[in-house]
Amino acid sequence: SQQGEEDPQALSIQEGENATMNCSYKTSINNLQWYRQNSGRGLVHLILIRSNEREKHSGRLRVTLDTSKKSSSLLITASRAADTASYFCAPISSGSARQLTFGSGTQLTVLP
Amino acid sequence: EAGVAQSPRYKIIEKRQSVAFWCNPISGHATLYWYQQILGQGPKLLIQFQNNGVVDDSQLPKDRFSAERLKGVDSTLKIQPAKLEDSAVYLCASSLVMSSYNEQFFGPGTRLTVL
């Protein structure tokens, strides 16, 4: 398994603004997953994008994947205070033991 | 459906004491994971079970940590003896099958403080 590196480490925005966070990885992947962790809680799966997909939407979430650059981005539109959380990406390598390996995440703060 | 249950939610112990955490995965989920999350970091996988067999325990400090999943359902993670650096949140997760496309469902975690 390989670890994704999220960037930036911290992001602070006003409610209603869009938030973009990025993920980079090193080797080829089968898919990439994004998770959210609210303070004091477990992680929650947000979205999975397969290696042959370039963009995927789910509600206010938009994920892109550029396999040539080995990077992904997560866009949250019209952010809300409830979006305040840490966001983690997990690249799943081809042939791996289907394990998730997390970086340190992006801490998003949405100010009311 | 009920989520992943963990207990206790919080535990404070002295170093060199023992502690055990319990996890009940989502019904029917064959794969169970234990993660350690140190403050400010992402979760780190400690051990992965498929039913009641261990798939990967390469990052489990086996001199002090042990885990079991009897009958392929509930699981316990034990630390004996605890060290100061074991202070962390211990997360349990489960997935339906061991597949690259399966999302993992996480419990709320157990926050361990070792004094």
Side-chain angles (χ1 to χ4, degrees), chain A residues 30-31 33 35 37 40-45 48 50 88 92-93 95-105, chain B residues 9 33 35 37 40-45 48 55-56 91 98-109 111:
Chain A
N30 179 291
N31 67 84
Q33 301 181 25
Y35 284 77
Q37 184 177 34
R41 309 289 292 273
L43 281 73
V44 174
H45 180 267
L48 180 154
R50 299 178 182 233
F88 298 92
I92 311 299
S93 300
S96 73
R98 297 99 179 183
Q99 293 172 355
L100 303 180
T101 304
F102 298 99
S104 298
Chain B
R9 291 296 313 277
Y33 312 81
Y35 292 86
Q37 185 174 24
Q41 299 180 18
K44 182 183 85 170
L45 180 69
Q48 176 182 350
V55 173
D56 184 351
L91 295 164
M98 195 170 68
S99 162
S100 300
Y101 299 101
N102 267 94
E103 65 180 278
Q104 291 185 21
F105 294 82
F106 285 77
R111 182 177 297 277

Side-chain angles (χ1 to χ4, degrees), chain A residues 5 10 14-15 19 33 36 42 49 58 62 67-68 70 76 93 96-97 104 110:
Chain A
E5 297 292 341
Q14 295 289 331
E15 205 165 25
Q33 301 181 25
R36 181 190 74 225
I49 186 165
S58 176
R62 173 182 164 238
T67 53
S68 66
K70 294 186 173 54
I76 304 174
S93 300
S96 73
S104 298
V110 181

Side-chain angles (χ1 to χ4, degrees), chain B residues 25 28-32 49-53 69-75:
Chain B
H29 280 198
T31 312
L32 184 147
F49 291 94
Q50 176 71 10
N51 295 312
N52 60 349
R69 191 183 183 198
L70 299 176
K71 301 180 182 179
V73 182
D74 293 5
S75 178

